[in-house]
Amino acid sequence: MLHLRRSKSFSFPLHLLNLSSLIISKPFLSAAVVTEEESIDSSILNPRNPVPETLEISSERRFLSGARVSGYRERDKHGFGHSRVYLFEICHDLAGKGRLKKLRRILRRIVEEKGSGSAPALCEILSNHFRKRDYNSLVWDMLANVYSRSEMVHDALFVLSKMNELNYKASISTYDSLLYNLRHTDMMLNVYDEILANGVSCSVYTYNILIDGLCKQRRLQDAISFFQGMKGKGFFPCIVTFNTLISGLCHAGFVNSAWSFLSMMIKYRLFPDRFSYNSLIHGLCVAGSVERALEICDHMERTGVKPDVVTYNIILDGFRLLGLMVESWKVFHRMLLKGVGPNLVTYTVLIAGHCQRGDIDEGLRMLEEMISQGFQLNIITFTVLLSSLCKRGRVDEAIRLLSKMESVCLDADLIVFCNLIHGYSKQGEVERAIQMYKVMCSKKIMPNSAAHGAILLGLCEKGMTLEARKHLDNLTESGFLVDVRLYNIMIDGYVKMGDIQNAIGLYKQIITTGVTPSIVTYNSLIYGLCKSGKLKEAKELLQTLELYGLVPNTITYTTLIDAHCAVENIDAIVGLLDEMDAKGVAPNVITYTVFIKRLCKKRMLQKSVKILKNMYTKGLVADQVTYNTIIQGFCEQRNMEMAFCLHDEMLRQNLEPSPITYNLLVNGLCINGNLEGAEKLLDTLLEGSVRLSRIAYITVIKAQCAKGNAHKAVVLFKKMVNTGFEISIKDYSAVINRLCKRCLVNDAMFFFNMMLSIGISPDWEMYAVILDAFRRKGDLSSVSKLYAKMIINGLLHK
């Protein structure tokens, strides 16, 4: 009988991007091999020369109990000794009696003792001593079977190749076992071709294993072809066949096709089980159709299949992936109402959901609740929280959580240490990251490329390139297989420090050591050369990367375009854009924005608008930065009509103008002397609940002050204060300076006293401006009072 196995353990990914591996059990087809209790047909047994029963049993017992045959200490050239020949003698007698259970037991002990790679020697013993013995083919077949079931696939294949030379046929059970072990590889179909070539009849298990393997290899069309083929050969598909196809289609995202197989299953008078429905529900949840998954859950219950904790965990995780934690909790309460108890996976999914939305404290609270309820925790739940804490810079809390994890007898693994090292590195605490690295090594956990990368990144970000290079050189000298990612971190570190010479030197080193550079390597170097003004060398490097079969990407060209923008080489920019088009490299929004920025600086505004329109024809949606760049250009040219047209275009494209957009428009109106329009724009935006920046208000207030409209400036300033903006001394200083220049010193004093009333102390420069204004006005009394205030505030000595 074909069984479905559920995996009892599972591995946890670094960022917990998908919890499906924790939630849904996957079908594993057990190899359909000869069972322990089976026997062979008595008509093919040869009763001649039987071994006495007492000798057979006593010899077998001695071997199976672990005792070695003492009379055969001398070893032959194979290193096995004559005891193996004697044991194969027993195997042949057991085969003759049809006692296959005991035969397999002896062969298994021989195989386990000698281990992987022992097939050639064992085959030679069988060839030299037993070629003319009855039932020799059965012993060979059983040996291949035992190797396969012990997952020594190469040994099993070797035995089968020798059997072909001797014209012995392997049984379908042996082939089935081998197919199962090779189901993740292309060799599976080669074995199937051999089955057909040898005329061995397939079983329904054979097709189930083939279909399962093809699904795992994502060769779904081939899997469906085998399904149709088994029907054509008279094999009746079983529920395992359908479940395998449904699961494979769902994992590949073809949920509708999977649903059609569920319907077909019913036509075959096979009733879908919990696994059938769980596979469909999982597929729907991964596709984001969680509501439909809930409908399937209801359908299960109506057909008499009760959803289990796996079912609910899948749906919980589906809502988590969508960020709908409220819905996840509704599913949790539904579980409880249905009498389904949550398990460790349930709580881990909920904790992951809260961490995903930034509510780590709720996740920590749930962990405490799990501990208090006596849950047998595993490292995955802790890793979810540790990873989230480290990402948000709460590394000290992560260390405390690590202590708690160790207190419940869970040891930190590589993933935990990598998270902590990354956390410290991101905070710039490289010394603590290195300390954590040493702790990991002391626990005999070998650091991987990610751990070394975190150390290098931390050192480079602190500008400690000498220390980073020393760490990298130590890795290479110790024999660690340094991948290109580590070299890229080091090269990028040099580039950011402006050390292009060492960056190029390291690049040449990795070429000589046989490490193939990646596009990231070249992008860093091209950026460094452009930053150093070496545009010719950067262009030459662009041609070099193609020798390694690499294609320049958008970042490569955008870097070069930006560099040519800086030297105002428009022809070179156009050439690079044409080259991108010829090579099928699509420019992105940043590429166009860089070019538009340069055009605006050259006052080529109409051309920049044309480029903007060209973006939309290529399916690119411009962002606020792109629009703001062009709006600023038109404002500087005092073409406010065109600036507002672009603002309206943003709204038509469903792009919300940013506070910077309105700052530019307000400033443009003020520059053009249209203060009334600027105030009207501010009022309109406030009525529409648009959040303005403080700069927009200050711009209009300063303009009103410059015009001598002190009253309007006061009104706007109060409105800004009431809006809730935090006003700084610089804001007061800007207004007071302009009023004093207009000799509106009394109005300046109004703002001066307002500033004092909210606890902001004026500096010496502000006093000086007001004193000068009073002197010019001839108000010496006010000058004396201000001097007195300055002395009191410690700004002047008596």
Side-chain angles (χ1 to χ4, degrees):
M1 182 177 178
L2 201 61
H3 301 285
L4 289 176
R5 294 193 315 214
R6 295 185 187 274
S7 176
K8 294 183 179 179
S9 63
F10 42 82
S11 62
F12 172 71
L14 184 59
H15 300 295
L16 200 77
L17 295 177
N18 191 345
L19 283 168
S20 59
S21 61
L22 312 186
I23 295 166
I24 184 165
S25 303
K26 299 180 181 178
F28 287 91
L29 298 171
S30 62
V33 295
V34 182
T35 62
E36 296 289 353
E37 301 299 334
E38 69 184 319
S39 60
I40 58 176
D41 188 354
S42 60
S43 64
I44 65 169
L45 295 177
N46 186 349
R48 290 177 298 167
N49 301 323
V51 177
E53 184 73 6
T54 54
L55 176 61
E56 173 205 318
I57 294 172
S58 61
S59 299
E60 181 189 340
R61 282 175 179 168
R62 282 202 306 274
F63 177 73
L64 295 178
S65 66
R68 299 291 177 264
V69 181
S70 59
Y72 296 95
R73 301 254 179 218
E74 180 188 354
R75 295 188 175 275
D76 61 14
K77 63 180 180 178
H78 306 297
F80 281 91
H82 296 294
S83 61
R84 297 296 169 266
V85 178
Y86 180 65
L87 289 170
F88 275 125
E89 184 78 41
I90 294 173
C91 288
H92 281 77
D93 282 314
L94 290 171
K97 292 178 177 295
R99 303 185 66 176
L100 302 188
K101 179 180 177 180
K102 289 183 171 57
L103 169 60
R104 179 180 284 111
R105 189 184 303 167
I106 291 176
L107 288 174
R108 187 186 299 124
R109 291 293 293 271
I110 294 172
V111 165
E112 287 175 355
E113 181 184 349
K114 302 315 295 180
S116 179
S118 58
L122 292 180
C123 287
E124 192 165 345
I125 291 174
L126 284 172
S127 295
N128 292 341
H129 296 277
F130 299 95
R131 182 171 293 191
K132 296 181 181 181
R133 286 291 298 271
D134 295 323
Y135 310 110
N136 195 29
S137 64
L138 180 59
V139 175
W140 277 85
D141 180 48
M142 190 66 78
L143 180 62
N145 198 305
V146 167
Y147 270 125
S148 181
R149 294 181 72 177
S150 300
E151 298 185 1
M152 300 180 192
V153 178
H154 292 292
D155 289 279
L157 288 169
F158 184 88
V159 176
L160 286 174
S161 67
K162 289 297 180 183
M163 288 178 70
N164 284 333
E165 291 174 11
L166 297 169
N167 292 320
Y168 290 158
K169 276 189 179 181
S171 64
I172 190 60
S173 62
T174 297
Y175 278 122
D176 284 347
S177 176
L178 195 56
L179 286 170
Y180 175 76
N181 282 315
L182 295 171
R183 67 194 185 283
H184 293 285
T185 69
D186 292 335
M187 288 179 66
M188 179 185 72
L189 290 180
N190 294 335
V191 173
Y192 175 68
D193 291 338
E194 186 178 318
I195 293 171
L196 298 180
N198 289 337
V200 179
S201 298
C202 295
S203 67
V204 68
Y205 305 120
T206 312
Y207 284 102
N208 284 342
I209 295 166
L210 285 164
I211 290 168
D212 180 53
L214 290 167
C215 285
K216 283 180 167 56
Q217 295 178 43
R218 295 297 181 94
R219 298 172 63 175
L220 298 172
Q221 193 58 53
D222 291 333
I224 292 170
S225 297
F226 269 97
F227 172 77
Q228 293 166 341
M230 69 184 292
K231 291 193 297 180
K233 292 184 180 181
F235 291 105
F236 190 79
C238 64
I239 192 168
V240 173
T241 317
F242 282 104
N243 279 350
T244 302
L245 277 168
I246 289 168
S247 176
L249 288 164
C250 285
H251 274 89
F254 301 112
V255 185
N256 290 332
S257 300
W259 181 260
S260 66
F261 274 97
L262 190 84
S263 303
M264 191 188 299
M265 186 191 303
I266 296 169
K267 290 180 182 177
Y268 273 83
R269 297 183 183 277
L270 294 170
F271 296 102
D273 60 8
R274 194 177 287 121
F275 185 86
S276 317
Y277 285 114
N278 283 351
S279 295
L280 274 172
I281 289 169
H282 177 251
L284 288 166
C285 287
V286 169
S289 303
V290 191
E291 295 296 337
R292 192 178 167 198
L294 278 172
E295 292 174 9
I296 301 291
C297 185
D298 294 333
H299 178 75
M300 283 176 70
E301 292 189 90
R302 287 196 295 272
T303 56
V305 181
K306 186 180 178 182
D308 61 359
V309 68
V310 175
T311 315
Y312 288 113
N313 284 346
I314 295 167
I315 299 171
L316 270 171
D317 193 49
F319 280 121
R320 177 195 70 84
L321 289 170
L322 295 174
L324 302 173
M325 286 308 296
V326 173
E327 299 301 321
S328 290
W329 278 106
K330 286 180 183 177
V331 175
F332 178 80
H333 292 306
R334 177 174 170 174
M335 284 177 67
L336 299 179
L337 289 171
K338 296 287 183 180
V340 179
N343 61 10
L344 181 61
V345 176
T346 314
Y347 282 106
T348 302
V349 170
L350 290 169
I351 288 172
H354 284 294
C355 290
Q356 187 176 303
R357 56 189 276 184
D359 192 1
I360 306 175
D361 293 327
E362 177 61 21
L364 291 167
R365 187 199 63 77
M366 288 183 66
L367 179 69
E368 293 296 337
E369 187 178 314
M370 291 169 72
I371 294 171
S372 65
Q373 290 181 10
F375 268 91
Q376 188 66 42
L377 298 172
N378 62 22
I379 196 170
I380 296 172
T381 314
F382 281 98
T383 306
V384 172
L385 288 161
L386 274 163
S387 175
S388 298
L389 287 168
C390 290
K391 281 179 184 176
R392 285 163 179 81
R394 297 165 62 176
V395 190
D396 290 336
E397 290 180 67
I399 293 293
R400 289 196 291 273
L401 189 61
L402 176 65
S403 300
K404 184 169 289 185
M405 185 179 82
E406 292 171 342
S407 70
V408 293
C409 301
L410 290 172
D411 293 326
D413 61 4
L414 178 63
I415 295 171
V416 169
F417 278 111
C418 281
N419 273 313
L420 292 168
I421 292 168
H422 272 285
Y424 280 130
S425 295
K426 279 177 70 177
Q427 285 186 320
E429 298 186 50
V430 184
E431 294 79 9
R432 297 184 74 176
I434 293 171
Q435 184 184 356
M436 191 57 60
Y437 169 85
K438 290 177 179 177
V439 171
M440 176 174 64
C441 294
S442 70
K443 292 180 178 289
K444 301 192 185 316
I445 298 173
M446 293 304 296
N448 61 3
S449 186
H452 291 301
I455 296 292
L456 287 173
L457 200 60
L459 289 168
C460 288
E461 284 180 355
K462 286 196 76 174
M464 301 167 67
T465 51
L466 285 173
E467 291 81 356
R469 183 60 182 271
K470 186 178 179 181
H471 184 76
L472 183 65
D473 290 342
N474 286 339
L475 289 177
T476 55
E477 289 166 9
S478 65
F480 182 83
L481 189 61
V482 179
D483 59 27
V484 72
R485 179 179 170 272
L486 298 183
Y487 285 116
N488 287 344
I489 292 170
M490 192 69 247
I491 287 171
D492 189 58
Y494 279 134
V495 166
K496 285 177 178 174
M497 291 293 292
D499 190 355
I500 190 64
Q501 186 176 351
N502 267 320
I504 293 290
L506 185 56
Y507 160 72
K508 289 178 179 177
Q509 180 182 317
I510 67 174
I511 296 292
T512 56
T513 54
V515 176
T516 305
S518 68
I519 189 64
V520 176
T521 317
Y522 285 103
N523 284 346
S524 291
L525 290 168
I526 287 170
Y527 173 77
L529 289 167
C530 289
K531 192 178 174 183
S532 303
K534 299 178 180 179
L535 301 189
K536 184 182 176 183
E537 290 88 338
K539 192 77 166 114
E540 289 172 356
L541 200 61
L542 177 68
Q543 295 165 351
T544 304
L545 68 88
E546 295 177 359
L547 298 175
Y548 290 93
L550 298 170
V551 179
N553 60 16
T554 308
I555 297 171
T556 319
Y557 281 109
T558 303
T559 303
L560 286 164
I561 288 169
D562 186 47
H564 284 91
C565 280
V567 295
E568 300 186 356
N569 190 342
I570 301 295
D571 292 335
I573 295 167
V574 173
L576 286 165
L577 285 169
D578 291 340
E579 189 177 322
M580 288 179 77
D581 189 51
K583 292 186 177 179
V585 181
N588 60 14
V589 175
I590 299 171
T591 313
Y592 281 110
T593 303
V594 165
F595 189 29
I596 286 170
K597 188 176 180 181
R598 181 51 51 188
L599 290 171
C600 289
K601 283 190 175 180
K602 295 280 286 182
R603 305 280 182 172
M604 301 168 72
L605 298 177
Q606 294 303 328
K607 192 166 185 177
S608 69
V609 172
K610 189 177 178 181
I611 296 289
L612 181 66
K613 290 178 180 177
N614 190 35
M615 287 176 65
Y616 282 104
T617 60
K618 294 191 176 182
L620 287 172
V621 180
D623 59 11
Q624 287 98 333
V625 176
T626 314
Y627 275 102
N628 289 345
T629 302
I630 307 175
I631 288 171
Q632 184 178 6
F634 280 112
C635 286
E636 287 173 356
Q637 280 197 353
R638 302 199 174 192
N639 188 346
M640 295 308 298
E641 183 180 352
M642 194 61 193
F644 275 99
C645 282
L646 285 165
H647 166 266
D648 296 341
E649 178 66 22
M650 290 177 76
L651 297 176
R652 281 194 293 275
Q653 296 293 343
N654 294 318
L655 187 65
E656 185 179 351
S658 66
I660 294 172
T661 313
Y662 292 114
N663 289 346
L664 292 169
L665 292 171
V666 167
N667 189 57
L669 289 168
C670 291
I671 289 171
N672 281 277
N674 189 358
L675 300 187
E676 187 179 344
E679 282 191 71
K680 189 175 179 181
L681 177 60
L682 288 177
D683 292 337
T684 304
L685 295 173
L686 285 172
E687 288 172 7
S689 301
V690 174
R691 176 68 175 172
L692 292 168
S693 72
R694 184 176 53 82
I695 297 170
Y697 281 99
I698 291 294
T699 300
V700 183
I701 291 166
K702 286 194 294 188
Q704 293 288 10
C705 291
K707 286 278 188 180
N709 300 328
H711 174 70
K712 288 187 177 181
V714 169
V715 171
L716 277 171
F717 203 93
K718 286 181 177 179
K719 192 179 287 187
M720 181 175 68
V721 171
N722 293 334
T723 307
F725 287 110
E726 187 176 336
I727 314 300
S728 69
I729 189 170
K730 287 184 179 180
D731 300 324
Y732 284 104
S733 183
V735 176
I736 290 168
N737 282 344
R738 277 163 179 77
L739 289 170
C740 287
K741 282 181 182 178
R742 299 285 298 183
C743 292
L744 299 170
V745 68
N746 291 332
D747 295 307
M749 285 303 295
F750 172 82
F751 284 98
F752 184 82
N753 292 325
M754 185 192 295
M755 182 176 65
L756 292 174
S757 67
I758 61 171
I760 297 177
S761 299
D763 55 17
W764 188 90
E765 289 181 4
M766 189 178 292
Y767 276 109
V769 169
I770 300 173
L771 280 168
D772 184 57
F774 276 125
R775 280 197 197 97
R776 281 188 282 114
K777 192 178 178 183
D779 189 350
L780 299 180
S781 174
S782 297
V783 171
S784 299
K785 289 177 183 178
L786 275 177
Y787 269 120
K789 280 187 179 181
M790 291 175 73
I791 292 169
I792 292 168
N793 292 325
L795 296 173
L796 280 179
H797 297 291
K798 290 183 181 181

